[in-house]
Amino acid sequence: MSRIAVCPGSFDPVTLGHLDLVRRARSMFDEVVVAVGINAGKSPLLDAESRVSLFAAAVADLDGVRVVRMPGLLADLCREVGASAIVKGLRGGADFDAEHPMALMNRHLSGVETAFVIGDAALAHVSSTMVKDVARYGGDITDLVPPPVAEAVSTAFGAQKDGAR
Ligand code: PNS
């Protein structure tokens, strides 16, 4: 039976850190389903379709990886795809503190375990939030995200500025 991992996140936008995590998850599971979901505590810069298509383009060369939109609960998606595990990346202790209650809730709802993977240390400073913060003020994010993502983020900030005029 094939073992499927779900890598969930809001991916607003996908970064090189997320891609590192997906590669590591794929090395441990037969299939990886990237679930682009809604974080009720965040209001995204990019719409869900863009986040899905940017991630899908970034993993197009990887076998056994697909990207789906997650409109509701992660627990429901895990059931739908027959997930063996949820895989999340940890950059440090703050990530663990945030992830711990989510892992307990997801296990409570679905019985699916969360496995934590330590990402590439060279990318430990990279998060979607920081990438957006750098880009918002005109900083260079081209070595933190795939090229189409850098373009989409800068277009989105440009549109925000135009809307504010
Ligand atoms: O990248 P993020 O913002 O940390 O991802 C959080 C996300 C989207 C994975 C999380 O908010 C989530 O699982 N949302 C779906 C709704 C859900 O299942 N909530 C209860 C379990 S935390």
Side-chain angles (χ1 to χ4, degrees):
M1 209 182 87
S2 95
R3 309 257 307 153
I4 299 170
V6 172
C7 290
S10 41
F11 306 122
D12 182 46
V14 56
T15 68
L16 297 189
H18 296 133
L19 298 177
D20 173 59
L21 172 70
V22 165
R23 278 194 202 93
R24 289 177 199 279
R26 179 66 182 87
S27 74
M28 297 183 288
F29 290 85
D30 302 309
E31 195 190 330
V32 172
V33 177
V34 175
V36 179
I38 298 162
N39 181 332
K42 296 178 181 170
S43 79
L45 174 69
L46 303 173
D47 62 33
E49 287 77 17
S50 306
R51 287 181 277 138
V52 168
S53 61
L54 288 167
F55 210 134
V59 294
D61 61 329
L62 294 180
D63 248 13
V65 178
R66 65 191 165 104
V67 182
V68 300
R69 190 171 168 185
M70 177 170 65
L73 285 176
L74 175 55
D76 291 339
L77 185 94
C78 285
R79 246 179 254 117
E80 261 169 54
V81 304
S84 303
I86 295 161
V87 174
K88 288 259 190 148
L90 291 182
R91 287 163 300 196
D95 279 351
F96 177 76
D97 288 344
E99 295 295 342
H100 181 227
M102 289 199 259
L104 290 173
M105 180 56 77
N106 286 319
R107 186 167 63 191
H108 171 77
L109 293 174
S110 66
V112 175
E113 299 288 351
T114 299
F116 292 108
V117 170
I118 305 294
D120 184 343
L123 297 170
H125 61 300
V126 180
S127 68
S128 299
T129 303
M130 295 261 264
V131 160
K132 284 180 285 189
D133 209 36
V134 171
R136 180 178 285 116
Y137 302 108
D140 181 12
I141 57 167
T142 53
D143 51 356
L144 307 175
V145 297
V149 174
E151 209 178 307
V153 168
S154 108
T155 303
F157 280 125
Q160 275 189 356
K161 275 191 202 134
D162 290 347
R165 268 187 205 140

